[in-house]
Amino acid sequence: MDVTQIPFAKHIGIERKEEGILKLDATNVVQNHIKGIHASAQFALAETQSGLYLQETFPELEGKVVGMLRASTVKYKNPATSSIYAVANLAEAEKEKFLTQLERKGRAAMTVHVEVKDAEAVVTMQGDFQWYIQKI
């Protein structure tokens, strides 16, 4: 699934910056009252990035599992006044633990860390997105 084609992501303008990285331009659609990018738009970019990261990290699971965001913790660090992009990561040990639990129980949880940065690579938001994934 192309996450940039999810109707909400498409509506606010989430696009691919490069392979594995999503971006959001500072347009009127996502602007807040102080002419920055709204916190909810940054959250949407980060959450979408976490889902894309899981898709790209575990391509062999596509069509075999369903994922749902269970919880998130975010912290806004700096105003986002220009276009932003998101980068996700996951510890290698977490990947193995996830695959083992999924195979054993048919379901597993995993937390993906995401940083949202502006054009100057200043972190505007960071978050942890906990996914619940179950075999279909």
Side-chain angles (χ1 to χ4, degrees):
M1 165 187 261
D2 180 356
V3 297
T4 63
Q5 296 306 303
I6 295 169
F8 182 73
K10 197 172 182 176
H11 172 72
I12 66 170
I14 293 175
E15 300 176 330
R16 286 191 183 268
K17 178 179 194 273
E18 56 194 62
E19 190 62 35
I21 297 176
L22 299 176
K23 71 173 186 150
L24 181 63
D25 289 331
T27 64
N28 288 342
V29 172
V30 296
Q31 195 173 73
N32 63 19
H33 65 289
I34 58 171
K35 308 252 186 270
I37 296 179
H38 199 283
S40 64
Q42 292 184 63
F43 181 91
L45 175 65
E47 186 272 338
T48 305
Q49 179 67 52
S50 71
L52 173 64
Y53 181 81
L54 289 176
Q55 275 186 319
E56 292 180 345
T57 302
F58 304 103
E60 70 279 10
L61 297 178
E62 191 164 346
K64 299 176 184 175
V65 298
V66 63
M68 182 179 76
L69 184 67
R70 177 171 273 174
S72 63
T73 304
V74 299
K75 183 174 184 178
Y76 297 91
K77 302 190 65 79
N78 291 291
T81 57
S82 65
S83 296
I84 54 176
Y85 64 96
V87 179
N89 64 61
L90 179 66
E92 200 62 39
E94 284 290 313
K95 293 176 188 178
E96 293 303 318
K97 179 181 171 185
F98 165 75
L99 288 172
T100 299
Q101 185 177 12
L102 184 65
E103 184 59 36
R104 196 168 39 113
K105 293 185 173 183
R107 65 188 186 285
M110 167 179 300
T111 300
V112 178
H113 181 74
V114 179
E115 286 189 332
V116 175
K117 299 178 181 183
D118 68 12
E120 287 77 41
V122 173
V123 175
T124 63
M125 188 201 102
Q126 62 186 23
D128 291 316
F129 296 83
Q130 183 187 35
W131 286 86
Y132 172 78
I133 298 161
Q134 182 172 337
K135 286 185 177 181
I136 301 173

